[in-house]
Coordinates of all heavy atoms in Angstrom, one line a residue:
S1 N 0.3 1.0 -7.9 CA 0.0 2.4 -7.7 C -1.1 2.5 -6.6 O -1.9 1.6 -6.4 CB -0.6 3.1 -9.0 OG -1.8 2.4 -9.5
G2 N -1.2 3.7 -6.0 CA -2.3 3.9 -5.1 C -3.3 5.0 -5.6 O -2.8 5.9 -6.3
G3 N -4.5 4.9 -5.3 CA -5.5 5.7 -5.9 C -6.4 6.5 -4.9 O -6.5 6.1 -3.8
Q4 N -7.1 7.5 -5.4 CA -7.9 8.3 -4.6 C -9.2 7.5 -4.3 O -9.9 7.8 -3.4 CB -8.4 9.5 -5.4 CG -7.3 10.5 -5.6 CD -7.8 11.8 -6.4 OE1 -8.6 11.7 -7.3 NE2 -7.2 12.9 -6.1
D5 N -9.4 6.4 -5.0 CA -10.5 5.4 -4.7 C -10.3 4.5 -3.6 O -11.2 3.6 -3.4 CB -11.0 4.8 -6.0 CG -10.0 3.9 -6.6 OD1 -8.8 3.9 -6.0 OD2 -10.2 3.2 -7.6
G6 N -9.1 4.5 -3.0 CA -8.8 3.6 -1.9 C -8.2 2.3 -2.3 O -8.1 1.3 -1.5
T7 N -7.9 2.2 -3.6 CA -7.3 0.9 -4.2 C -5.9 1.0 -4.3 O -5.3 2.1 -4.5 CB -7.9 0.5 -5.4 OG1 -7.7 1.5 -6.5 CG2 -9.5 0.4 -5.3
V8 N -5.3 -0.1 -4.3 CA -3.8 -0.4 -4.8 C -3.9 -1.2 -6.0 O -4.7 -2.2 -6.0 CB -2.9 -1.1 -3.7 CG1 -1.6 -1.3 -4.1 CG2 -3.0 -0.3 -2.3
R9 N -3.2 -0.8 -7.0 CA -3.3 -1.5 -8.4 C -1.8 -2.0 -8.8 O -0.9 -1.3 -8.5 CB -3.9 -0.7 -9.4 CG -5.3 -0.3 -9.1 CD -5.8 0.8 -10.1 NE -7.2 1.0 -9.7 CZ -8.4 0.5 -10.2 NH1 -8.3 -0.4 -11.1 NH2 -9.6 0.9 -9.8
K10 N -1.9 -3.3 -9.3 CA -0.7 -3.8 -9.9 C -0.9 -3.8 -11.4 O -2.0 -4.1 -12.0 CB -0.6 -5.4 -9.5 CG 0.6 -6.0 -10.0 CD 0.6 -7.5 -9.5 CE 1.6 -8.4 -10.2 NZ 1.6 -9.7 -9.7
W11 N 0.2 -3.3 -12.1 CA 0.1 -3.1 -13.5 C 1.1 -4.0 -14.3 O 2.2 -4.3 -13.8 CB 0.4 -1.6 -13.8 CG -0.5 -0.7 -13.2 CD1 -0.4 -0.1 -11.9 CD2 -1.7 -0.1 -13.8 NE1 -1.5 0.6 -11.7 CE2 -2.3 0.7 -12.8 CE3 -2.3 -0.3 -15.0 CZ2 -3.4 1.4 -13.1 CZ3 -3.5 0.4 -15.2 CH2 -4.1 1.2 -14.2
H12 N 0.7 -4.4 -15.4 CA 1.7 -5.1 -16.4 C 2.3 -4.1 -17.2 O 1.7 -3.3 -17.9 CB 0.8 -6.1 -17.2 CG 1.7 -6.9 -18.1 ND1 2.2 -6.5 -19.3 CD2 2.4 -8.2 -17.9 CE1 2.9 -7.5 -19.8 NE2 3.1 -8.5 -19.0
I13 N 3.6 -3.9 -17.1 CA 4.4 -2.8 -17.6 C 4.3 -2.9 -19.1 O 4.1 -1.8 -19.8 CB 5.8 -2.9 -17.2 CG1 5.9 -2.6 -15.7 CG2 6.7 -1.9 -17.9 CD1 7.3 -2.7 -15.1
Q14 N 4.4 -4.0 -19.8 CA 4.4 -4.1 -21.2 C 3.1 -3.7 -21.9 O 3.1 -2.9 -22.9 CB 5.0 -5.4 -21.8 CG 6.4 -5.6 -21.4 CD 7.0 -7.0 -21.8 OE1 6.3 -7.9 -22.0 NE2 8.3 -7.0 -22.0
S15 N 2.1 -4.2 -21.3 CA 0.6 -3.9 -21.9 C 0.1 -2.7 -21.3 O -0.8 -2.2 -21.9 CB -0.2 -5.2 -21.5 OG -0.5 -5.2 -20.2
G16 N 0.6 -2.2 -20.2 CA -0.2 -1.0 -19.6 C -1.4 -1.3 -18.9 O -2.1 -0.4 -18.6
K17 N -1.8 -2.6 -18.7 CA -3.1 -3.0 -18.2 C -3.0 -3.3 -16.7 O -2.0 -3.9 -16.2 CB -3.6 -4.1 -18.9 CG -4.0 -3.8 -20.4 CD -4.7 -5.0 -21.1 CE -4.9 -4.5 -22.5 NZ -5.8 -5.5 -23.2
C18 N -4.1 -2.9 -16.0 CA -4.1 -3.3 -14.6 C -4.4 -4.8 -14.5 O -5.4 -5.3 -15.2 CB -5.2 -2.4 -14.0 SG -5.5 -2.9 -12.2
V19 N -3.6 -5.5 -13.7 CA -3.8 -6.9 -13.6 C -4.3 -7.3 -12.2 O -4.7 -8.5 -12.1 CB -2.5 -7.7 -13.9 CG1 -2.1 -7.5 -15.4 CG2 -1.4 -7.3 -13.0
L20 N -4.3 -6.4 -11.3 CA -4.8 -6.8 -9.8 C -5.2 -5.5 -9.2 O -4.6 -4.5 -9.2 CB -3.8 -7.5 -9.2 CG -4.0 -8.1 -7.8 CD1 -5.2 -9.2 -7.8 CD2 -2.9 -8.6 -7.1
V21 N -6.4 -5.6 -8.6 CA -6.8 -4.5 -7.7 C -7.0 -4.9 -6.3 O -7.6 -6.0 -6.0 CB -8.2 -3.9 -8.2 CG1 -8.6 -2.8 -7.3 CG2 -8.1 -3.4 -9.7
M22 N -6.3 -4.3 -5.4 CA -6.5 -4.5 -4.0 C -7.3 -3.4 -3.3 O -6.9 -2.3 -3.3 CB -5.0 -4.7 -3.4 CG -4.2 -5.8 -4.1 SD -2.4 -5.6 -3.9 CE -2.1 -4.9 -5.5
R23 N -8.4 -3.9 -2.5 CA -9.3 -3.0 -1.9 C -9.2 -3.2 -0.5 O -9.2 -4.3 0.0 CB -10.6 -3.3 -2.4 CG -10.9 -2.9 -3.9 CD -12.3 -3.2 -4.3 NE -12.6 -2.6 -5.7 CZ -12.3 -3.1 -6.8 NH1 -11.6 -4.3 -6.9 NH2 -12.6 -2.4 -7.9
G24 N -9.4 -2.1 0.3 CA -9.4 -2.2 1.8 C -9.2 -0.9 2.4 O -9.9 -0.6 3.5
H25 N -8.5 0.1 1.9 CA -8.3 1.4 2.5 C -9.5 2.2 2.4 O -10.4 2.0 1.4 CB -7.2 2.2 1.7 CG -5.8 1.8 2.1 ND1 -5.2 2.3 3.3 CD2 -4.9 1.1 1.5 CE1 -4.0 1.8 3.3 NE2 -3.8 1.1 2.2
E26 N -9.8 2.9 3.5 CA -11.0 3.8 3.5 C -10.5 5.2 3.2 O -10.0 5.9 4.1 CB -11.7 3.7 4.8 CG -12.2 2.4 5.1 CD -12.8 2.2 6.5 OE1 -13.0 3.3 7.1 OE2 -12.9 1.1 7.0
G27 N -10.4 5.7 2.0 CA -10.0 7.0 1.7 C -8.8 6.7 0.7 O -8.5 5.7 0.3
E28 N -8.1 7.9 0.3 CA -7.0 7.9 -0.7 C -5.9 7.1 -0.2 O -5.4 7.1 0.9 CB -6.6 9.3 -0.9 CG -5.6 9.5 -2.0 CD -5.5 10.9 -2.4 OE1 -6.3 11.7 -2.0 OE2 -4.5 11.2 -3.1
V29 N -5.2 6.3 -1.2 CA -3.9 5.7 -0.9 C -2.8 6.6 -1.4 O -2.8 7.0 -2.5 CB -3.8 4.3 -1.6 CG1 -2.4 3.7 -1.5 CG2 -4.9 3.4 -1.2
N30 N -1.9 6.9 -0.4 CA -0.9 8.0 -0.7 C 0.5 7.5 -1.0 O 1.2 8.1 -1.6 CB -0.9 8.9 0.5 CG -2.1 9.7 0.8 OD1 -2.8 10.2 -0.1 ND2 -2.5 9.5 2.0
A31 N 0.7 6.2 -0.6 CA 2.0 5.7 -0.8 C 2.0 4.2 -1.0 O 1.2 3.5 -0.3 CB 2.8 6.0 0.5
V32 N 3.0 3.6 -1.7 CA 3.1 2.2 -1.9 C 4.6 2.0 -2.0 O 5.3 2.8 -2.5 CB 2.4 1.7 -3.1 CG1 0.8 1.8 -3.0 CG2 2.8 2.3 -4.3
D33 N 5.0 0.7 -1.6 CA 6.4 0.3 -1.8 C 6.2 -1.3 -1.8 O 5.5 -2.0 -1.1 CB 7.4 0.6 -0.5 CG 8.7 0.6 -0.9 OD1 9.1 0.4 -2.1 OD2 9.6 0.5 0.1
V34 N 7.0 -1.9 -2.8 CA 6.9 -3.3 -3.0 C 8.2 -3.9 -2.4 O 9.4 -3.4 -2.3 CB 7.1 -3.6 -4.5 CG1 7.1 -5.0 -4.9 CG2 5.9 -2.9 -5.2
T35 N 8.0 -5.1 -1.8 CA 9.2 -5.8 -1.2 C 10.2 -6.2 -2.3 O 9.8 -6.3 -3.4 CB 8.7 -7.1 -0.4 OG1 8.0 -7.9 -1.3 CG2 7.9 -6.8 0.7
A36 N 11.4 -6.4 -1.9 CA 12.4 -6.8 -2.9 C 12.1 -8.0 -3.6 O 12.5 -8.2 -4.8 CB 13.8 -6.9 -2.1
D37 N 11.5 -9.0 -3.1 CA 11.1 -10.2 -3.8 C 9.9 -10.1 -4.6 O 9.5 -11.0 -5.3 CB 11.0 -11.4 -2.8 CG 9.9 -11.2 -1.7 OD1 9.0 -10.4 -1.9 OD2 9.9 -12.0 -0.9
G38 N 9.2 -9.0 -4.5 CA 8.0 -8.8 -5.3 C 6.8 -9.4 -4.8 O 5.7 -9.3 -5.5
L39 N 6.9 -10.1 -3.8 CA 5.7 -10.9 -3.2 C 4.6 -10.2 -2.5 O 3.6 -10.6 -2.3 CB 6.2 -12.2 -2.5 CG 7.0 -13.1 -3.3 CD1 7.5 -14.3 -2.4 CD2 6.3 -13.7 -4.5
A40 N 5.1 -8.9 -2.1 CA 4.1 -8.2 -1.2 C 4.3 -6.7 -1.6 O 5.3 -6.3 -2.0 CB 4.3 -8.4 0.3
V41 N 3.3 -5.9 -1.3 CA 3.3 -4.5 -1.4 C 2.7 -3.9 -0.1 O 1.7 -4.5 0.5 CB 2.6 -3.9 -2.6 CG1 1.1 -4.3 -2.6 CG2 2.7 -2.5 -2.9
F42 N 3.5 -2.9 0.4 CA 2.8 -2.1 1.5 C 2.2 -0.8 1.0 O 2.7 -0.2 0.1 CB 4.0 -1.8 2.5 CG 4.4 -2.9 3.3 CD1 5.4 -3.9 2.8 CD2 4.0 -3.1 4.6 CE1 5.8 -4.9 3.5 CE2 4.3 -4.3 5.3 CZ 5.3 -5.1 4.8
S43 N 1.2 -0.4 1.6 CA 0.4 0.9 1.2 C 0.0 1.7 2.5 O -0.2 1.1 3.5 CB -0.8 0.5 0.5 OG -1.7 -0.3 1.1
G44 N 0.0 3.0 2.3 CA -0.4 3.9 3.4 C -1.4 4.9 2.9 O -1.3 5.3 1.7
G45 N -2.4 5.2 3.7 CA -3.4 6.1 3.2 C -4.0 7.1 4.2 O -3.6 7.2 5.3
D46 N -5.0 7.7 3.7 CA -5.7 8.8 4.5 C -6.5 8.1 5.6 O -6.9 8.8 6.6 CB -6.8 9.4 3.6 CG -6.1 10.5 2.7 OD1 -4.9 10.8 2.8 OD2 -6.8 11.2 1.9
D47 N -6.7 6.9 5.7 CA -7.4 6.1 6.8 C -6.4 5.8 7.9 O -6.8 5.2 8.9 CB -8.0 4.8 6.3 CG -7.1 3.9 5.7 OD1 -5.9 4.2 5.7 OD2 -7.6 2.7 5.3
K48 N -5.1 6.4 7.9 CA -4.1 6.3 8.9 C -3.6 4.9 9.2 O -3.2 4.5 10.3 CB -4.7 6.9 10.3 CG -5.3 8.4 10.2 CD -5.9 8.8 11.4 CE -6.6 10.2 11.2 NZ -7.4 10.5 12.4
T49 N -3.8 4.1 8.1 CA -3.3 2.8 8.3 C -2.2 2.4 7.3 O -2.0 3.1 6.2 CB -4.4 1.7 8.0 OG1 -4.8 1.8 6.6 CG2 -5.5 1.9 8.9
I50 N -1.4 1.4 7.6 CA -0.5 0.8 6.6 C -1.0 -0.6 6.3 O -1.4 -1.3 7.3 CB 1.0 0.7 7.1 CG1 1.6 2.2 7.4 CG2 1.9 0.0 6.3 CD1 2.8 2.3 8.1
R51 N -1.0 -1.0 5.1 CA -1.5 -2.4 4.9 C -0.5 -3.2 4.0 O 0.3 -2.5 3.2 CB -2.9 -2.4 4.2 CG -3.9 -1.7 5.1 CD -5.2 -1.5 4.3 NE -6.0 -0.6 5.0 CZ -7.3 -1.0 5.5 NH1 -7.7 -2.3 5.4 NH2 -8.0 -0.2 6.2
K52 N -0.4 -4.4 4.3 CA 0.5 -5.4 3.5 C -0.4 -6.2 2.6 O -1.3 -6.9 3.2 CB 1.4 -6.2 4.4 CG 2.3 -7.1 3.7 CD 3.2 -7.9 4.6 CE 4.1 -8.9 3.9 NZ 4.9 -9.7 5.0
W53 N -0.1 -6.4 1.3 CA -0.9 -7.2 0.4 C -0.1 -8.2 -0.3 O 1.1 -8.0 -0.6 CB -1.4 -6.2 -0.7 CG -2.1 -5.0 -0.2 CD1 -1.5 -3.7 0.1 CD2 -3.5 -4.8 0.1 NE1 -2.5 -2.9 0.5 CE2 -3.7 -3.5 0.5 CE3 -4.6 -5.7 0.0 CZ2 -5.0 -3.0 0.9 CZ3 -5.8 -5.2 0.3 CH2 -6.0 -3.9 0.7
D54 N -0.7 -9.3 -0.6 CA -0.1 -10.3 -1.4 C -0.2 -9.9 -2.9 O -1.4 -9.6 -3.3 CB -0.9 -11.6 -1.2 CG -0.4 -12.8 -2.0 OD1 -0.3 -12.7 -3.2 OD2 0.0 -13.8 -1.4
T55 N 0.8 -9.9 -3.7 CA 0.8 -9.3 -4.9 C 0.4 -10.3 -6.1 O 0.1 -10.0 -7.2 CB 2.2 -8.8 -5.4 OG1 3.2 -9.8 -5.3 CG2 2.6 -7.5 -4.5
E56 N 0.2 -11.6 -5.6 CA -0.3 -12.5 -6.5 C -1.9 -12.7 -6.5 O -2.4 -12.7 -7.6 CB 0.3 -13.9 -6.2 CG 1.8 -14.0 -6.4 CD 2.2 -13.7 -7.9 OE1 1.6 -14.3 -8.8 OE2 3.1 -12.9 -8.1
I57 N -2.4 -12.6 -5.3 CA -3.8 -12.8 -5.3 C -4.6 -11.6 -4.8 O -5.8 -11.4 -4.8 CB -4.3 -14.1 -4.5 CG1 -3.8 -13.9 -3.0 CG2 -3.8 -15.4 -5.1 CD1 -4.3 -15.0 -2.0
G58 N -3.8 -10.5 -4.3 CA -4.4 -9.3 -3.8 C -5.0 -9.4 -2.4 O -5.7 -8.5 -2.0
A59 N -4.8 -10.4 -1.6 CA -5.3 -10.5 -0.3 C -4.6 -9.5 0.8 O -3.3 -9.4 0.6 CB -5.1 -12.0 0.2
E60 N -5.2 -9.0 1.6 CA -4.7 -8.1 2.7 C -4.0 -9.1 3.6 O -4.7 -9.9 4.3 CB -5.7 -7.2 3.3 CG -5.1 -6.4 4.3 CD -6.1 -5.5 5.0 OE1 -6.8 -4.7 4.3 OE2 -6.3 -5.7 6.3
L61 N -2.7 -9.0 3.9 CA -2.0 -9.8 4.9 C -1.8 -9.3 6.2 O -1.7 -10.0 7.2 CB -0.6 -10.1 4.3 CG -0.6 -10.8 2.8 CD1 0.8 -10.8 2.4 CD2 -1.3 -12.2 2.9
L62 N -1.9 -7.9 6.2 CA -1.6 -7.2 7.5 C -2.2 -5.9 7.5 O -2.1 -5.2 6.5 CB -0.1 -7.1 7.8 CG 0.5 -6.6 9.1 CD1 0.1 -7.3 10.2 CD2 2.0 -6.4 8.9
K63 N -2.7 -5.4 8.7 CA -3.2 -4.1 8.8 C -2.5 -3.4 10.0 O -2.7 -4.0 11.1 CB -4.7 -4.1 8.9 CG -5.3 -2.6 9.1 CD -6.8 -2.7 9.2 CE -7.4 -1.3 9.4 NZ -8.9 -1.5 9.5
L64 N -1.8 -2.4 9.8 CA -1.1 -1.7 11.0 C -1.9 -0.4 11.2 O -2.1 0.4 10.4 CB 0.4 -1.4 10.6 CG 1.2 -2.6 10.2 CD1 2.5 -2.2 9.8 CD2 1.3 -3.5 11.5
V65 N -2.3 -0.3 12.5 CA -3.0 0.9 12.9 C -2.2 1.6 14.1 O -1.3 1.0 14.7 CB -4.4 0.5 13.4 CG1 -5.3 0.0 12.4 CG2 -4.3 -0.4 14.7
G66 N -2.4 2.8 14.3 CA -1.8 3.7 15.4 C -1.4 5.0 15.0 O -1.2 5.8 15.9
H67 N -1.3 5.3 13.7 CA -1.0 6.7 13.2 C -2.1 7.6 13.7 O -3.3 7.2 13.7 CB -0.9 6.7 11.8 CG 0.5 6.0 11.3 ND1 0.6 4.8 10.9 CD2 1.7 6.6 11.2 CE1 1.8 4.5 10.6 NE2 2.5 5.6 10.8
E68 N -1.7 8.9 14.0 CA -2.8 9.8 14.3 C -3.1 10.7 13.2 O -3.9 11.5 13.4 CB -2.1 10.7 15.5 CG -2.0 9.8 16.8 CD -1.5 10.7 17.9 OE1 -1.4 11.8 17.9 OE2 -1.2 10.0 19.0
D69 N -2.4 10.5 12.1 CA -2.8 11.4 10.9 C -2.5 10.5 9.6 O -2.2 9.3 9.7 CB -1.9 12.6 10.9 CG -2.5 13.8 10.3 OD1 -3.5 13.7 9.4 OD2 -2.2 14.8 10.8
E70 N -2.8 11.0 8.5 CA -2.7 10.3 7.2 C -1.3 9.8 6.9 O -0.4 10.7 7.2 CB -3.2 11.3 6.0 CG -4.7 11.6 6.0 CD -4.9 12.9 6.8 OE1 -3.9 13.5 7.3 OE2 -6.1 13.4 6.8
V71 N -1.2 8.7 6.4 CA 0.2 8.2 6.1 C 0.5 8.5 4.6 O -0.3 8.5 3.7 CB 0.2 6.6 6.1 CG1 1.5 6.0 5.7 CG2 -0.2 6.1 7.5
R72 N 1.6 9.3 4.5 CA 2.1 9.9 3.4 C 3.1 9.2 2.6 O 3.3 9.3 1.4 CB 2.5 11.3 3.5 CG 1.4 12.3 4.0 CD 0.4 12.5 2.9 NE -0.6 13.4 3.4 CZ -1.8 13.6 2.7 NH1 -2.0 12.8 1.7 NH2 -2.7 14.5 3.2
C73 N 3.9 8.3 3.3 CA 5.0 7.6 2.7 C 5.3 6.4 3.5 O 5.1 6.3 4.7 CB 6.3 8.5 2.8 SG 7.8 7.8 2.1
V74 N 5.5 5.3 2.7 CA 5.9 4.0 3.3 C 7.3 3.5 2.6 O 7.4 3.8 1.4 CB 5.0 2.9 3.3 CG1 3.7 3.2 4.1 CG2 4.6 2.7 1.8
C75 N 8.1 2.9 3.4 CA 9.3 2.3 2.9 C 9.7 1.0 3.5 O 9.8 1.0 4.8 CB 10.5 3.3 3.1 SG 12.1 2.7 2.3
V76 N 9.7 0.0 2.8 CA 9.9 -1.4 3.4 C 11.4 -1.8 3.2 O 12.1 -1.4 2.2 CB 9.0 -2.4 2.7 CG1 9.3 -2.6 1.3 CG2 9.1 -3.8 3.5
S77 N 12.0 -2.4 4.2 CA 13.3 -2.8 4.2 C 13.6 -3.9 3.2 O 12.7 -4.6 2.8 CB 13.8 -3.3 5.6 OG 13.1 -4.4 6.0
L78 N 14.8 -4.0 2.8 CA 15.2 -5.1 1.8 C 14.8 -6.5 2.2 O 14.4 -7.3 1.4 CB 16.7 -5.0 1.5 CG 17.2 -3.8 0.7 CD1 18.6 -3.7 0.5 CD2 16.4 -3.6 -0.7
D79 N 14.8 -6.8 3.5 CA 14.4 -8.2 3.9 C 12.9 -8.3 4.2 O 12.5 -9.3 4.4 CB 15.3 -8.6 5.1 CG 14.9 -7.8 6.4 OD1 14.1 -6.8 6.3 OD2 15.5 -8.0 7.4
G80 N 12.2 -7.2 3.9 CA 10.8 -7.2 4.1 C 10.3 -7.4 5.5 O 9.0 -7.4 5.7
Q81 N 11.1 -7.1 6.5 CA 10.7 -7.4 7.9 C 10.4 -5.9 8.6 O 9.9 -6.1 9.8 CB 11.8 -8.1 8.6 CG 12.1 -9.5 8.1 CD 10.8 -10.3 8.1 OE1 10.2 -10.6 9.2 NE2 10.5 -10.8 6.9
T82 N 10.8 -4.9 8.0 CA 10.5 -3.6 8.7 C 9.9 -2.6 7.7 O 10.3 -2.6 6.5 CB 11.9 -3.0 9.2 OG1 12.5 -3.9 10.0 CG2 11.7 -1.7 9.8
V83 N 9.0 -1.9 8.1 CA 8.4 -0.8 7.3 C 8.4 0.5 8.1 O 8.1 0.4 9.2 CB 6.9 -1.2 6.8 CG1 6.0 -1.3 7.9 CG2 6.5 -0.1 5.8
C84 N 8.8 1.5 7.4 CA 8.9 2.9 8.0 C 7.8 3.8 7.3 O 7.5 3.5 6.2 CB 10.2 3.5 7.8 SG 11.6 2.7 8.6
S85 N 7.3 4.7 8.1 CA 6.2 5.5 7.5 C 6.5 6.9 7.9 O 7.1 7.3 8.8 CB 4.9 5.1 7.9 OG 4.8 5.1 9.4
Q86 N 5.8 7.9 7.1 CA 5.8 9.4 7.3 C 4.4 9.7 7.3 O 3.6 9.3 6.5 CB 6.7 10.1 6.3 CG 6.7 11.6 6.6 CD 5.8 12.2 5.6 OE1 5.5 11.9 4.6 NE2 5.3 13.4 6.1
V87 N 3.9 10.6 8.2 CA 2.6 11.0 8.2 C 2.4 12.5 8.0 O 3.4 13.2 8.1 CB 1.9 10.7 9.6 CG1 1.8 9.2 9.8 CG2 2.5 11.4 10.7
F88 N 1.2 12.9 7.6 CA 1.0 14.3 7.4 C 0.7 14.9 8.7 O -0.2 14.4 9.4 CB -0.2 14.5 6.5 CG -0.6 15.9 6.3 CD1 0.1 16.8 5.4 CD2 -1.8 16.4 7.0 CE1 -0.4 18.1 5.3 CE2 -2.1 17.8 6.8 CZ -1.4 18.5 6.0
S89 N 1.4 15.9 9.1 CA 1.2 16.7 10.4 C 0.9 18.1 10.1 O 1.6 18.9 10.5 CB 2.4 16.4 11.3 OG 2.5 15.1 11.6
G90 N -0.1 18.4 9.4 CA -0.5 19.8 9.0 C -0.8 20.6 10.3 O -1.3 20.0 11.3
G91 N -0.4 21.8 10.2 CA -0.7 22.5 11.4 C -1.2 23.8 11.1 O -1.5 24.7 11.8

């Protein structure tokens, strides 16, 4: 899940407990998507970045910059090699 506190969290479904917190975004995290193999998660946030995280240890693996507005949606391809995003373009 993504939070207003700038974190991405991994949850254990059966216990309902948070098992990993990934920190790095500056501002709210608006979108997350997990790779098909479950080894990585992509997140997008108010800081106009997309980040890739290791779901086992929580390390940031990649930071993509270049958006001109907040990232609202991310979607990673089944092979994990491509990520698409949608930004907020309020007018």
Side-chain angles (χ1 to χ4, degrees):
S1 64
Q4 291 180 328
D5 61 357
T7 64
V8 176
R9 295 175 184 263
K10 178 180 173 181
W11 300 87
H12 185 270
I13 294 173
Q14 292 178 337
S15 71
K17 294 184 180 190
C18 177
V19 295
L20 185 64
V21 178
M22 294 158 265
R23 292 180 169 82
H25 280 283
E26 297 174 19
E28 188 170 344
V29 175
N30 302 311
V32 296
D33 195 18
V34 179
T35 57
D37 61 12
L39 298 177
V41 61
F42 285 84
S43 59
D46 282 356
D47 60 1
K48 306 175 187 175
T49 68
I50 296 172
R51 297 172 192 247
K52 180 180 180 182
W53 307 91
D54 179 300
T55 58
E56 293 300 314
I57 61 171
E60 183 180 299
L61 302 173
L62 179 67
K63 179 179 175 181
L64 301 172
V65 298
H67 287 91
E68 295 182 6
D69 219 330
E70 295 92 353
V71 178
R72 296 293 185 195
C73 181
V74 294
C75 183
V76 62
S77 62
L78 290 177
D79 66 4
Q81 298 302 305
T82 303
V83 63
C84 296
S85 61
Q86 182 262 328
V87 298
F88 176 78
S89 296

